[in-house]
Each structure stands twice: as C-alpha cells, then as structure tokens.
Amino acid sequence: MPVIDQAPIIGRDLDAGRMTRSPEIRLIIDVFHATTSGQKGEILQSFYDQGINPERFSNGHGQGRGFYVWTTMEKASEHARTIKLGELSKSGSSEGAPVVVVASVVFDPQKWELDVEAHRGIANEFLNSLVRMNGGELHLVEPMGSKIVLKSFEEMPRNFAAHFLREDGGKTVHGLAAGKDDPNLRTGEILGRVFAAIRTSEFSSQWQDFVAQKVSSMADIGLALKYIGDQRLPIRRILPIEEQS
C-alpha cells in the first residue's frame, strides 16, 4: 500500500477541461526491479555498491532511457522469470538466478514516468482526452525538433492518430486507441516519442498529475514505471525469486 503525503498538486481535469487540485501528490511506494544475479553475482554487487545508478539505465526498447520497475512483487517476479527463461529480452547480461531488487522511494512525477509500452491503453487514454480537450488537434515538438500532430476522429470517440511530420514535407501516420493495450511493440516506441514531446511541452504538468493519480490508485494492483531522475537511489534489499511464495 502506498503511503500518501497530503501535500497538494495543481492539475487539470481532463474530462471537464478545468484546473483542479489533487491532494495525492507525494506517494512513498515500494518499487520492484526484475533482473538476474549475473554469472558471478556481479549484477547484485553493482546494486549493493551503487544502488539505482542512472549511468546504468536501460534504453527501454525504443521508449527512452530509464530504470524500469513494477509496483508489486508479484509482477516483478513474473517479469524476472520471463527474463531468465529467455522469453523477454533485457539490456545487459541475463545470466545467473532471477532476482528482484526492492527500493522504497518518494514518487516525484518529475522523476518517475509511466512505462508507456507496458501501459499503452492508459497512455492513450490521457492523449485522447488531451487532444479532444484542445479542439481535436494537438501540435507537439520532439526534443530534436521534429513535429508531431495528434488528431482525433470525430466518428470514433476513443480513436486518434499521431502524425509524424518529416522535413521533406511527408508524414508517417499511426492510429491509436484509448484504453487499448495494443500488443504491437512499435506502439511503445511511438508513444515514447510522443511523451518525450509531452514532457517538454505546456502539457507536461497535466501528464505528471495524471501519472501521480494513476500511481495512487493502481500501485497495489501492479503498475510498470520508470525512473528518469539523475540521482542515485538506495535499495532496501534483493530477493531471490525462489524465496517468494
């Protein structure tokens, strides 16, 4: 259960289109990182020596660098087993025994992000509401300068499209659906680009408030998050999967 500090946060009601105040801003939560021990325990030793070190962040299969965690032990254990079985790739070595690294953190929405690849439906829910709240068309700029236009479909209330504009005047268009966890891995990369633009836009605080609310309401059932801060974080313990019931 996340511990909630009742300091207020200003946000925006995406459905009503008005500014709101949410009391659930500072969430002290346990996070669980799935990995393996390393052939000679070198991965474990790295965590003991350095904690969660931003210099060792994963590239996240296209959605951006970060330290990827779950908010429940159950989800992380399942993830660690799939890594060990070779059913899921990870950056770096997957040798050794499956383990879960546990940390207790203050959830700061400026330093933590929703894993938009794992939660495509939730991410699209936010984008769809934001696009429609802004007249059905939203213009964004990626960190490297490329432009993205999000457009809603009037006849399909939960659907919208991301238009990636090219310098030659062409564009690439990807259809997206709110609330749908599209299994296409390409969708995770697309959303990674869109949210990189969101974080540097005027809509950044609205996204942060949305993520904070999701964490406060869904942490107990298992959310995938990533740490994007620049400071090392201490770990609490490392648990072998075999010891978990």
Side-chain angles (χ1 to χ4, degrees):
M1 174 73 69
V3 178
I4 299 173
D5 179 348
Q6 296 292 332
I9 184 172
I10 296 294
R12 183 180 294 273
D13 185 326
L14 292 177
D15 295 322
R18 60 179 182 272
M19 298 304 294
T20 61
R21 180 176 291 269
S22 168
E24 299 172 334
I25 175 176
R26 291 189 175 180
L27 308 176
I28 301 174
I29 60 173
D30 285 341
V31 294
F32 306 86
H33 173 69
T35 187
T36 53
S37 62
Q39 185 177 25
K40 298 181 179 180
E42 64 276 7
I43 297 177
L44 302 187
Q45 193 61 51
S46 174
F47 278 110
Y48 285 129
D49 293 343
Q50 304 179 35
I52 297 170
N53 183 356
E55 295 178 3
R56 300 174 62 87
F57 281 176
S58 165
N59 287 325
H61 301 291
Q63 66 163 311
R65 296 186 73 249
F67 183 77
Y68 290 80
V69 301
W70 292 91
T71 59
T72 65
M73 182 67 192
E74 292 76 14
K75 290 285 189 180
S77 297
E78 178 182 343
H79 195 163
R81 290 190 184 98
T82 58
I83 291 172
K84 183 58 184 175
L85 291 173
E87 298 172 359
L88 187 68
S89 63
K90 68 181 287 288
S91 61
S93 172
S94 60
E95 296 182 339
V99 298
V100 171
V101 178
V102 185
S104 183
V105 303
V106 175
F107 179 82
D108 179 345
Q110 295 186 22
K111 297 180 180 179
W112 288 89
E113 178 70 283
L114 189 71
D115 182 336
V116 296
E117 181 178 319
H119 300 297
R120 300 174 182 87
I122 294 176
N124 285 334
E125 173 190 336
F126 170 83
L127 291 175
N128 187 53
S129 296
L130 189 64
V131 172
R132 293 177 183 277
M133 191 175 68
N134 285 274
E137 186 169 313
L138 194 70
H139 292 255
L140 301 169
V141 179
E142 295 188 73
M144 297 301 291
S146 299
K147 295 180 180 180
I148 304 172
V149 180
L150 303 181
K151 293 184 180 182
S152 63
F153 296 112
E154 291 187 9
E155 68 279 10
M156 302 175 71
R158 299 189 64 78
N159 291 60
F160 63 103
H163 299 247
F164 292 87
L165 308 185
R166 300 194 302 269
E167 291 185 359
D168 62 6
K171 63 182 178 181
T172 304
V173 181
H174 299 277
L176 299 166
K180 181 180 179 182
D181 284 331
D182 184 343
N184 188 343
L185 291 178
R186 174 69 172 148
T187 302
E189 182 179 347
I190 293 165
L191 291 177
R193 291 179 61 184
V194 171
F195 280 100
I198 288 285
R199 285 195 297 272
T200 58
S201 75
E202 62 185 292
F203 310 109
S204 177
S205 62
Q206 294 167 241
W207 171 236
Q208 291 172 12
D209 189 42
F210 180 85
V211 174
Q213 292 179 31
K214 289 298 181 183
V215 171
S216 71
S217 63
M218 298 179 65
D220 287 345
I221 62 176
L223 277 176
L225 304 174
K226 68 173 180 177
Y227 176 59
I228 55 175
D230 57 4
Q231 296 180 330
R232 292 187 184 187
L233 300 177
I235 65 167
R236 287 177 54 194
R237 58 187 181 273
I238 298 177
L239 302 175
I241 296 300
E242 289 77 12
E243 295 182 5
Q244 304 308 307
S245 57

